């Protein structure tokens, strides 16, 4: 007997659906939670893009090839390409901060 995903999962939330509504939250609460989550995602992506722009700017300023940067950061050349091309889903903020630190560009966080 073959096992399919449908046999293992009782419910699949459709793409674009409000996961909080699917979990049984009241409509008003579900909408508020979804909006909060969306704001957090937008903020996270903005921070990652800023960090990636700093790395890409450093690479350009120093006229380095991606392979040279990869060796300095101890990562693969495709990983450097992912930073330069701002593939935000492939990196954590922590990883990007660590890269900047290795490049001699310490990150300062301001909360306000």
């Amino acid at each position: 007997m073959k096992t399919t995903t449908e046999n293992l999962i009782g419910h699949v939330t459709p793409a674009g659906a409000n996961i909080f509504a699917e979990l049984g939250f009241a409509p008003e609460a579900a909408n508020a939670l979804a909006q909060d989550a969306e704001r957090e995602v937008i903020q996270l992506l903005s921070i990652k893009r800023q960090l990636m722009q700093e790395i890409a700017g450093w690479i350009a300023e120093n006229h380095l090839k991606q392979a040279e940067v990869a060796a300095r950061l101890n990562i693969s050349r495709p990983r450097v390409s992912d930073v330069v091309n701002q593939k935000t889903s492939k990196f954590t903020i922590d990883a990007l901060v660590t890269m900047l630190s290795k490049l001699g560009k310490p990150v300062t966080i301001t909360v306000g």
Side-chain angles (χ1 to χ4, degrees), residues 5 19 22 26 42-44 58 60-61 65 71 76 88 90 107:
T5 304
I19 186 70
E22 295 280 317
I42 289 168
Q43 191 174 40
L44 176 68
W58 183 89
E61 286 173 15
K65 296 182 185 222
S76 68
T88 55
K90 295 188 173 195
V107 176

Side-chain angles (χ1 to χ4, degrees), residues 40-60:
E40 287 183 32
V41 168
I42 289 168
Q43 191 174 40
L44 176 68
L45 291 174
S46 175
I47 292 168
K48 286 182 179 184
R49 284 188 196 104
Q50 287 177 346
L51 297 171
M52 290 175 154
Q53 287 170 354
E54 286 295 326
I55 295 168
W58 183 89
I59 293 168

Side-chain angles (χ1 to χ4, degrees), residues 1-12:
M1 177 168 143
K2 288 187 178 180
T3 303
T4 65
T5 304
E6 290 177 15
N7 294 341
L8 300 174
I9 300 172
H11 177 77
V12 176

Side-chain angles (χ1 to χ4, degrees), residues 70-106:
R72 182 162 181 169
L73 295 176
N74 198 29
I75 60 174
S76 68
R77 199 234 19 102
R79 194 93 166 121
V80 175
S81 177
D82 289 340
V83 170
V84 171
N85 291 309
Q86 294 200 0
K87 294 187 178 178
T88 55
S89 64
K90 295 188 173 195
F91 297 91
T92 63
I93 290 174
D94 183 51
L96 296 168
V97 168
T98 299
M99 287 180 197
L100 283 162
S101 180
K102 287 181 179 180
L103 297 176
K105 293 183 70 80

